[in-house]
PDB file of all heavy atoms in Angstrom:
ATOM      1  N   LYS A   1       0.820  -1.209   0.000  1.00 96.00           N
ATOM      2  CA  LYS A   1       0.000   0.000   0.000  1.00 96.00           C
ATOM      3  C   LYS A   1       0.854   1.258   0.000  1.00 96.00           C
ATOM      4  O   LYS A   1       0.480   2.283  -0.605  1.00 96.00           O
ATOM      5  CB  LYS A   1      -0.915  -0.006   1.223  1.00 96.00           C
ATOM      6  CG  LYS A   1      -1.867   1.177   1.291  1.00 96.00           C
ATOM      7  CD  LYS A   1      -2.758   1.084   2.525  1.00 96.00           C
ATOM      8  CE  LYS A   1      -3.683   2.287   2.618  1.00 96.00           C
ATOM      9  NZ  LYS A   1      -4.544   2.221   3.837  1.00 96.00           N
ATOM     10  N   GLU A   2       2.019   1.178   0.658  1.00 95.00           N
ATOM     11  CA  GLU A   2       2.913   2.330   0.737  1.00 95.00           C
ATOM     12  C   GLU A   2       4.011   2.289  -0.321  1.00 95.00           C
ATOM     13  O   GLU A   2       4.931   3.117  -0.299  1.00 95.00           O
ATOM     14  CB  GLU A   2       3.534   2.419   2.125  1.00 95.00           C
ATOM     15  CG  GLU A   2       2.528   2.649   3.239  1.00 95.00           C
ATOM     16  CD  GLU A   2       1.767   3.945   3.061  1.00 95.00           C
ATOM     17  OE1 GLU A   2       2.380   4.949   2.617  1.00 95.00           O
ATOM     18  OE2 GLU A   2       0.550   3.966   3.352  1.00 95.00           O
ATOM     19  N   GLY A   3       3.926   1.327  -1.242  1.00 96.00           N
ATOM     20  CA  GLY A   3       4.900   1.240  -2.330  1.00 96.00           C
ATOM     21  C   GLY A   3       6.295   0.838  -1.898  1.00 96.00           C
ATOM     22  O   GLY A   3       7.283   1.200  -2.550  1.00 96.00           O
ATOM     23  N   ILE A   4       6.407   0.100  -0.805  1.00 97.00           N
ATOM     24  CA  ILE A   4       7.714  -0.332  -0.303  1.00 97.00           C
ATOM     25  C   ILE A   4       8.131  -1.620  -1.014  1.00 97.00           C
ATOM     26  O   ILE A   4       7.385  -2.601  -1.038  1.00 97.00           O
ATOM     27  CB  ILE A   4       7.665  -0.557   1.219  1.00 97.00           C
ATOM     28  CG1 ILE A   4       7.391   0.777   1.928  1.00 97.00           C
ATOM     29  CG2 ILE A   4       8.966  -1.179   1.724  1.00 97.00           C
ATOM     30  CD1 ILE A   4       7.204   0.651   3.423  1.00 97.00           C
ATOM     31  N   SER A   5       9.311  -1.614  -1.619  1.00 97.00           N
ATOM     32  CA  SER A   5       9.838  -2.798  -2.307  1.00 97.00           C
ATOM     33  C   SER A   5      10.362  -3.795  -1.286  1.00 97.00           C
ATOM     34  O   SER A   5      11.024  -3.412  -0.315  1.00 97.00           O
ATOM     35  CB  SER A   5      10.966  -2.391  -3.259  1.00 97.00           C
ATOM     36  OG  SER A   5      10.502  -1.500  -4.254  1.00 97.00           O
ATOM     37  N   PHE A   6      10.078  -5.067  -1.511  1.00 98.00           N
ATOM     38  CA  PHE A   6      10.522  -6.095  -0.575  1.00 98.00           C
ATOM     39  C   PHE A   6      10.630  -7.426  -1.302  1.00 98.00           C
ATOM     40  O   PHE A   6      10.084  -7.612  -2.389  1.00 98.00           O
ATOM     41  CB  PHE A   6       9.542  -6.226   0.595  1.00 98.00           C
ATOM     42  CG  PHE A   6       8.175  -6.693   0.177  1.00 98.00           C
ATOM     43  CD1 PHE A   6       7.858  -8.044   0.116  1.00 98.00           C
ATOM     44  CD2 PHE A   6       7.199  -5.773  -0.177  1.00 98.00           C
ATOM     45  CE1 PHE A   6       6.601  -8.475  -0.281  1.00 98.00           C
ATOM     46  CE2 PHE A   6       5.939  -6.183  -0.587  1.00 98.00           C
ATOM     47  CZ  PHE A   6       5.643  -7.544  -0.637  1.00 98.00           C
ATOM     48  N   GLU A   7      11.343  -8.333  -0.699  1.00 98.00           N
ATOM     49  CA  GLU A   7      11.349  -9.734  -1.103  1.00 98.00           C
ATOM     50  C   GLU A   7      11.140 -10.582   0.139  1.00 98.00           C
ATOM     51  O   GLU A   7      11.348 -10.106   1.260  1.00 98.00           O
ATOM     52  CB  GLU A   7      12.648 -10.123  -1.831  1.00 98.00           C
ATOM     53  CG  GLU A   7      12.707  -9.602  -3.246  1.00 98.00           C
ATOM     54  CD  GLU A   7      13.832 -10.230  -4.066  1.00 98.00           C
ATOM     55  OE1 GLU A   7      14.614 -11.040  -3.501  1.00 98.00           O
ATOM     56  OE2 GLU A   7      13.944  -9.894  -5.260  1.00 98.00           O
ATOM     57  N   VAL A   8      10.739 -11.834  -0.068  1.00 98.00           N
ATOM     58  CA  VAL A   8      10.461 -12.742   1.044  1.00 98.00           C
ATOM     59  C   VAL A   8      11.464 -13.886   1.045  1.00 98.00           C
ATOM     60  O   VAL A   8      11.672 -14.532   0.009  1.00 98.00           O
ATOM     61  CB  VAL A   8       9.028 -13.304   0.957  1.00 98.00           C
ATOM     62  CG1 VAL A   8       8.779 -14.315   2.075  1.00 98.00           C
ATOM     63  CG2 VAL A   8       7.997 -12.181   1.013  1.00 98.00           C
ATOM     64  N   PHE A   9      12.089 -14.109   2.183  1.00 98.00           N
ATOM     65  CA  PHE A   9      12.949 -15.289   2.400  1.00 98.00           C
ATOM     66  C   PHE A   9      12.234 -16.170   3.411  1.00 98.00           C
ATOM     67  O   PHE A   9      12.125 -15.817   4.584  1.00 98.00           O
ATOM     68  CB  PHE A   9      14.322 -14.872   2.930  1.00 98.00           C
ATOM     69  CG  PHE A   9      15.231 -16.045   3.216  1.00 98.00           C
ATOM     70  CD1 PHE A   9      15.869 -16.712   2.196  1.00 98.00           C
ATOM     71  CD2 PHE A   9      15.423 -16.483   4.525  1.00 98.00           C
ATOM     72  CE1 PHE A   9      16.709 -17.803   2.466  1.00 98.00           C
ATOM     73  CE2 PHE A   9      16.240 -17.558   4.801  1.00 98.00           C
ATOM     74  CZ  PHE A   9      16.889 -18.228   3.767  1.00 98.00           C
ATOM     75  N   SER A  10      11.724 -17.312   2.944  1.00 98.00           N
ATOM     76  CA  SER A  10      10.888 -18.162   3.800  1.00 98.00           C
ATOM     77  C   SER A  10      11.505 -19.530   4.074  1.00 98.00           C
ATOM     78  O   SER A  10      10.815 -20.444   4.511  1.00 98.00           O
ATOM     79  CB  SER A  10       9.509 -18.351   3.170  1.00 98.00           C
ATOM     80  OG  SER A  10       9.620 -18.989   1.908  1.00 98.00           O
ATOM     81  N   ALA A  11      12.812 -19.662   3.854  1.00 97.00           N
ATOM     82  CA  ALA A  11      13.459 -20.970   3.989  1.00 97.00           C
ATOM     83  C   ALA A  11      13.990 -21.222   5.394  1.00 97.00           C
ATOM     84  O   ALA A  11      14.877 -22.069   5.578  1.00 97.00           O
ATOM     85  CB  ALA A  11      14.595 -21.090   2.977  1.00 97.00           C
ATOM     86  N   VAL A  12      13.470 -20.520   6.398  1.00 97.00           N
ATOM     87  CA  VAL A  12      13.927 -20.724   7.776  1.00 97.00           C
ATOM     88  C   VAL A  12      13.335 -22.018   8.317  1.00 97.00           C
ATOM     89  O   VAL A  12      12.128 -22.235   8.255  1.00 97.00           O
ATOM     90  CB  VAL A  12      13.533 -19.544   8.675  1.00 97.00           C
ATOM     91  CG1 VAL A  12      14.032 -19.783  10.098  1.00 97.00           C
ATOM     92  CG2 VAL A  12      14.084 -18.237   8.127  1.00 97.00           C
ATOM     93  N   GLU A  13      14.185 -22.859   8.861  1.00 96.00           N
ATOM     94  CA  GLU A  13      13.758 -24.129   9.458  1.00 96.00           C
ATOM     95  C   GLU A  13      13.591 -23.964  10.971  1.00 96.00           C
ATOM     96  O   GLU A  13      14.155 -23.042  11.573  1.00 96.00           O
ATOM     97  CB  GLU A  13      14.805 -25.210   9.193  1.00 96.00           C
ATOM     98  CG  GLU A  13      15.082 -25.472   7.723  1.00 96.00           C
ATOM     99  CD  GLU A  13      16.286 -26.376   7.531  1.00 96.00           C
ATOM    100  OE1 GLU A  13      16.153 -27.586   7.816  1.00 96.00           O
ATOM    101  OE2 GLU A  13      17.347 -25.883   7.117  1.00 96.00           O
ATOM    102  N   PRO A  14      12.820 -24.860  11.604  1.00 93.00           N
ATOM    103  CA  PRO A  14      12.807 -24.869  13.072  1.00 93.00           C
ATOM    104  C   PRO A  14      14.230 -25.085  13.599  1.00 93.00           C
ATOM    105  O   PRO A  14      15.026 -25.781  12.969  1.00 93.00           O
ATOM    106  CB  PRO A  14      11.908 -26.064  13.406  1.00 93.00           C
ATOM    107  CG  PRO A  14      11.061 -26.266  12.195  1.00 93.00           C
ATOM    108  CD  PRO A  14      11.926 -25.887  11.030  1.00 93.00           C
ATOM    109  N   ASN A  15      14.537 -24.493  14.753  1.00 93.00           N
ATOM    110  CA  ASN A  15      15.924 -24.504  15.232  1.00 93.00           C
ATOM    111  C   ASN A  15      16.816 -24.007  14.090  1.00 93.00           C
ATOM    112  O   ASN A  15      17.510 -24.792  13.459  1.00 93.00           O
ATOM    113  CB  ASN A  15      16.370 -25.897  15.671  1.00 93.00           C
ATOM    114  CG  ASN A  15      15.614 -26.414  16.861  1.00 93.00           C
ATOM    115  OD1 ASN A  15      15.435 -25.709  17.843  1.00 93.00           O
ATOM    116  ND2 ASN A  15      15.132 -27.643  16.777  1.00 93.00           N
ATOM    117  N   PRO A  16      16.792 -22.711  13.784  1.00 97.00           N
ATOM    118  CA  PRO A  16      17.426 -22.198  12.557  1.00 97.00           C
ATOM    119  C   PRO A  16      18.848 -22.696  12.397  1.00 97.00           C
ATOM    120  O   PRO A  16      19.622 -22.722  13.347  1.00 97.00           O
ATOM    121  CB  PRO A  16      17.373 -20.684  12.728  1.00 97.00           C
ATOM    122  CG  PRO A  16      17.157 -20.463  14.187  1.00 97.00           C
ATOM    123  CD  PRO A  16      16.351 -21.624  14.668  1.00 97.00           C
ATOM    124  N   LYS A  17      19.142 -23.097  11.170  1.00 97.00           N
ATOM    125  CA  LYS A  17      20.412 -23.730  10.853  1.00 97.00           C
ATOM    126  C   LYS A  17      21.406 -22.716  10.295  1.00 97.00           C
ATOM    127  O   LYS A  17      21.023 -21.680   9.746  1.00 97.00           O
ATOM    128  CB  LYS A  17      20.199 -24.849   9.830  1.00 97.00           C
ATOM    129  CG  LYS A  17      19.040 -25.806  10.143  1.00 97.00           C
ATOM    130  CD  LYS A  17      19.240 -26.566  11.429  1.00 97.00           C
ATOM    131  CE  LYS A  17      18.194 -27.659  11.628  1.00 97.00           C
ATOM    132  NZ  LYS A  17      16.838 -27.136  11.908  1.00 97.00           N
ATOM    133  N   ASP A  18      22.678 -23.076  10.378  1.00 98.00           N
ATOM    134  CA  ASP A  18      23.706 -22.215   9.799  1.00 98.00           C
ATOM    135  C   ASP A  18      23.466 -21.991   8.316  1.00 98.00           C
ATOM    136  O   ASP A  18      23.665 -20.897   7.783  1.00 98.00           O
ATOM    137  CB  ASP A  18      25.108 -22.780  10.067  1.00 98.00           C
ATOM    138  CG  ASP A  18      25.241 -24.277   9.796  1.00 98.00           C
ATOM    139  OD1 ASP A  18      24.316 -24.888   9.203  1.00 98.00           O
ATOM    140  OD2 ASP A  18      26.276 -24.851  10.197  1.00 98.00           O
ATOM    141  N   ARG A  19      22.967 -23.027   7.610  1.00 98.00           N
ATOM    142  CA  ARG A  19      22.711 -22.873   6.172  1.00 98.00           C
ATOM    143  C   ARG A  19      21.594 -21.870   5.903  1.00 98.00           C
ATOM    144  O   ARG A  19      21.624 -21.145   4.910  1.00 98.00           O
ATOM    145  CB  ARG A  19      22.377 -24.225   5.545  1.00 98.00           C
ATOM    146  CG  ARG A  19      21.170 -24.943   6.146  1.00 98.00           C
ATOM    147  CD  ARG A  19      20.835 -26.231   5.407  1.00 98.00           C
ATOM    148  NE  ARG A  19      19.776 -26.976   6.093  1.00 98.00           N
ATOM    149  CZ  ARG A  19      19.975 -28.076   6.801  1.00 98.00           C
ATOM    150  NH1 ARG A  19      21.206 -28.572   6.936  1.00 98.00           N
ATOM    151  NH2 ARG A  19      18.958 -28.696   7.382  1.00 98.00           N
ATOM    152  N   ASN A  20      20.588 -21.814   6.795  1.00 98.00           N
ATOM    153  CA  ASN A  20      19.516 -20.826   6.634  1.00 98.00           C
ATOM    154  C   ASN A  20      20.075 -19.412   6.731  1.00 98.00           C
ATOM    155  O   ASN A  20      19.707 -18.528   5.949  1.00 98.00           O
ATOM    156  CB  ASN A  20      18.448 -20.998   7.704  1.00 98.00           C
ATOM    157  CG  ASN A  20      17.832 -22.377   7.760  1.00 98.00           C
ATOM    158  OD1 ASN A  20      17.386 -22.812   8.817  1.00 98.00           O
ATOM    159  ND2 ASN A  20      17.798 -23.104   6.653  1.00 98.00           N
ATOM    160  N   VAL A  21      20.960 -19.198   7.700  1.00 98.00           N
ATOM    161  CA  VAL A  21      21.564 -17.884   7.885  1.00 98.00           C
ATOM    162  C   VAL A  21      22.376 -17.488   6.662  1.00 98.00           C
ATOM    163  O   VAL A  21      22.248 -16.359   6.153  1.00 98.00           O
ATOM    164  CB  VAL A  21      22.454 -17.872   9.145  1.00 98.00           C
ATOM    165  CG1 VAL A  21      23.222 -16.546   9.244  1.00 98.00           C
ATOM    166  CG2 VAL A  21      21.621 -18.099  10.391  1.00 98.00           C
ATOM    167  N   MET A  22      23.181 -18.406   6.156  1.00 98.00           N
ATOM    168  CA  MET A  22      24.046 -18.082   5.018  1.00 98.00           C
ATOM    169  C   MET A  22      23.224 -17.819   3.754  1.00 98.00           C
ATOM    170  O   MET A  22      23.507 -16.878   3.000  1.00 98.00           O
ATOM    171  CB  MET A  22      25.046 -19.213   4.791  1.00 98.00           C
ATOM    172  CG  MET A  22      25.965 -19.505   5.981  1.00 98.00           C
ATOM    173  SD  MET A  22      26.842 -18.048   6.615  1.00 98.00           S
ATOM    174  CE  MET A  22      27.910 -17.691   5.210  1.00 98.00           C
ATOM    175  N   GLU A  23      22.187 -18.629   3.523  1.00 98.00           N
ATOM    176  CA  GLU A  23      21.330 -18.422   2.354  1.00 98.00           C
ATOM    177  C   GLU A  23      20.566 -17.108   2.475  1.00 98.00           C
ATOM    178  O   GLU A  23      20.418 -16.363   1.500  1.00 98.00           O
ATOM    179  CB  GLU A  23      20.346 -19.586   2.217  1.00 98.00           C
ATOM    180  CG  GLU A  23      20.997 -20.904   1.817  1.00 98.00           C
ATOM    181  CD  GLU A  23      20.035 -22.081   1.983  1.00 98.00           C
ATOM    182  OE1 GLU A  23      18.841 -21.853   2.298  1.00 98.00           O
ATOM    183  OE2 GLU A  23      20.486 -23.235   1.795  1.00 98.00           O
ATOM    184  N   GLY A  24      20.078 -16.816   3.676  1.00 98.00           N
ATOM    185  CA  GLY A  24      19.335 -15.575   3.885  1.00 98.00           C
ATOM    186  C   GLY A  24      20.206 -14.344   3.731  1.00 98.00           C
ATOM    187  O   GLY A  24      19.774 -13.337   3.160  1.00 98.00           O
ATOM    188  N   ALA A  25      21.436 -14.409   4.237  1.00 98.00           N
ATOM    189  CA  ALA A  25      22.350 -13.271   4.090  1.00 98.00           C
ATOM    190  C   ALA A  25      22.666 -13.027   2.613  1.00 98.00           C
ATOM    191  O   ALA A  25      22.730 -11.869   2.169  1.00 98.00           O
ATOM    192  CB  ALA A  25      23.629 -13.526   4.878  1.00 98.00           C
ATOM    193  N   ALA A  26      22.833 -14.108   1.860  1.00 98.00           N
ATOM    194  CA  ALA A  26      23.088 -13.966   0.423  1.00 98.00           C
ATOM    195  C   ALA A  26      21.879 -13.342  -0.271  1.00 98.00           C
ATOM    196  O   ALA A  26      22.029 -12.490  -1.160  1.00 98.00           O
ATOM    197  CB  ALA A  26      23.405 -15.328  -0.186  1.00 98.00           C
ATOM    198  N   ALA A  27      20.671 -13.742   0.144  1.00 98.00           N
ATOM    199  CA  ALA A  27      19.454 -13.169  -0.435  1.00 98.00           C
ATOM    200  C   ALA A  27      19.352 -11.678  -0.118  1.00 98.00           C
ATOM    201  O   ALA A  27      18.934 -10.875  -0.964  1.00 98.00           O
ATOM    202  CB  ALA A  27      18.228 -13.903   0.085  1.00 98.00           C
ATOM    203  N   ALA A  28      19.723 -11.298   1.102  1.00 98.00           N
ATOM    204  CA  ALA A  28      19.676  -9.889   1.488  1.00 98.00           C
ATOM    205  C   ALA A  28      20.651  -9.068   0.657  1.00 98.00           C
ATOM    206  O   ALA A  28      20.316  -7.965   0.190  1.00 98.00           O
ATOM    207  CB  ALA A  28      19.984  -9.743   2.978  1.00 98.00           C
ATOM    208  N   ARG A  29      21.844  -9.591   0.452  1.00 98.00           N
ATOM    209  CA  ARG A  29      22.831  -8.868  -0.349  1.00 98.00           C
ATOM    210  C   ARG A  29      22.386  -8.773  -1.804  1.00 98.00           C
ATOM    211  O   ARG A  29      22.518  -7.718  -2.449  1.00 98.00           O
ATOM    212  CB  ARG A  29      24.193  -9.552  -0.251  1.00 98.00           C
ATOM    213  CG  ARG A  29      24.891  -9.358   1.105  1.00 98.00           C
ATOM    214  CD  ARG A  29      26.357  -9.765   1.028  1.00 98.00           C
ATOM    215  NE  ARG A  29      26.478 -11.191   0.767  1.00 98.00           N
ATOM    216  CZ  ARG A  29      26.716 -12.110   1.698  1.00 98.00           C
ATOM    217  NH1 ARG A  29      26.842 -11.733   2.966  1.00 98.00           N
ATOM    218  NH2 ARG A  29      26.839 -13.375   1.376  1.00 98.00           N
ATOM    219  N   ALA A  30      21.847  -9.866  -2.352  1.00 98.00           N
ATOM    220  CA  ALA A  30      21.426  -9.881  -3.756  1.00 98.00           C
ATOM    221  C   ALA A  30      20.297  -8.879  -4.011  1.00 98.00           C
ATOM    222  O   ALA A  30      20.242  -8.247  -5.069  1.00 98.00           O
ATOM    223  CB  ALA A  30      20.977 -11.288  -4.147  1.00 98.00           C
ATOM    224  N   PHE A  31      19.394  -8.727  -3.038  1.00 98.00           N
ATOM    225  CA  PHE A  31      18.277  -7.812  -3.179  1.00 98.00           C
ATOM    226  C   PHE A  31      18.678  -6.361  -2.879  1.00 98.00           C
ATOM    227  O   PHE A  31      17.958  -5.424  -3.212  1.00 98.00           O
ATOM    228  CB  PHE A  31      17.138  -8.247  -2.252  1.00 98.00           C
ATOM    229  CG  PHE A  31      15.916  -7.376  -2.302  1.00 98.00           C
ATOM    230  CD1 PHE A  31      15.235  -7.157  -3.491  1.00 98.00           C
ATOM    231  CD2 PHE A  31      15.437  -6.778  -1.146  1.00 98.00           C
ATOM    232  CE1 PHE A  31      14.105  -6.347  -3.529  1.00 98.00           C
ATOM    233  CE2 PHE A  31      14.306  -5.971  -1.174  1.00 98.00           C
ATOM    234  CZ  PHE A  31      13.637  -5.760  -2.373  1.00 98.00           C
ATOM    235  N   GLY A  32      19.816  -6.190  -2.250  1.00 97.00           N
ATOM    236  CA  GLY A  32      20.220  -4.856  -1.818  1.00 97.00           C
ATOM    237  C   GLY A  32      19.408  -4.366  -0.644  1.00 97.00           C
ATOM    238  O   GLY A  32      19.076  -3.179  -0.529  1.00 97.00           O
ATOM    239  N   SER A  33      19.085  -5.272   0.265  1.00 98.00           N
ATOM    240  CA  SER A  33      18.250  -4.928   1.416  1.00 98.00           C
ATOM    241  C   SER A  33      18.943  -3.914   2.313  1.00 98.00           C
ATOM    242  O   SER A  33      20.139  -4.025   2.587  1.00 98.00           O
ATOM    243  CB  SER A  33      17.943  -6.190   2.238  1.00 98.00           C
ATOM    244  OG  SER A  33      17.257  -7.136   1.460  1.00 98.00           O
ATOM    245  N   ASP A  34      18.151  -2.951   2.771  1.00 97.00           N
ATOM    246  CA  ASP A  34      18.696  -2.007   3.744  1.00 97.00           C
ATOM    247  C   ASP A  34      18.214  -2.306   5.157  1.00 97.00           C
ATOM    248  O   ASP A  34      18.556  -1.602   6.105  1.00 97.00           O
ATOM    249  CB  ASP A  34      18.365  -0.563   3.354  1.00 97.00           C
ATOM    250  CG  ASP A  34      16.866  -0.288   3.247  1.00 97.00           C
ATOM    251  OD1 ASP A  34      16.073  -1.210   3.539  1.00 97.00           O
ATOM    252  OD2 ASP A  34      16.502   0.837   2.861  1.00 97.00           O
ATOM    253  N   CYS A  35      17.416  -3.380   5.292  1.00 98.00           N
ATOM    254  CA  CYS A  35      16.972  -3.809   6.614  1.00 98.00           C
ATOM    255  C   CYS A  35      16.331  -5.191   6.491  1.00 98.00           C
ATOM    256  O   CYS A  35      16.069  -5.669   5.375  1.00 98.00           O
ATOM    257  CB  CYS A  35      15.969  -2.830   7.231  1.00 98.00           C
ATOM    258  SG  CYS A  35      14.403  -2.736   6.339  1.00 98.00           S
ATOM    259  N   LEU A  36      16.086  -5.819   7.635  1.00 98.00           N
ATOM    260  CA  LEU A  36      15.415  -7.117   7.690  1.00 98.00           C
ATOM    261  C   LEU A  36      14.129  -6.967   8.491  1.00 98.00           C
ATOM    262  O   LEU A  36      14.083  -6.226   9.473  1.00 98.00           O
ATOM    263  CB  LEU A  36      16.309  -8.164   8.353  1.00 98.00           C
ATOM    264  CG  LEU A  36      17.655  -8.425   7.686  1.00 98.00           C
ATOM    265  CD1 LEU A  36      18.498  -9.382   8.542  1.00 98.00           C
ATOM    266  CD2 LEU A  36      17.486  -8.983   6.285  1.00 98.00           C
TER     267      LEU A  36
END
């Protein structure tokens, strides 16, 4: 509604894994995220 660009990272597992963190950080960098 406010025109804010975003992407969704939904690959978080229960008891978050190191691989989830690394994949999510890569997704944040690829999107150019300025926040989470």
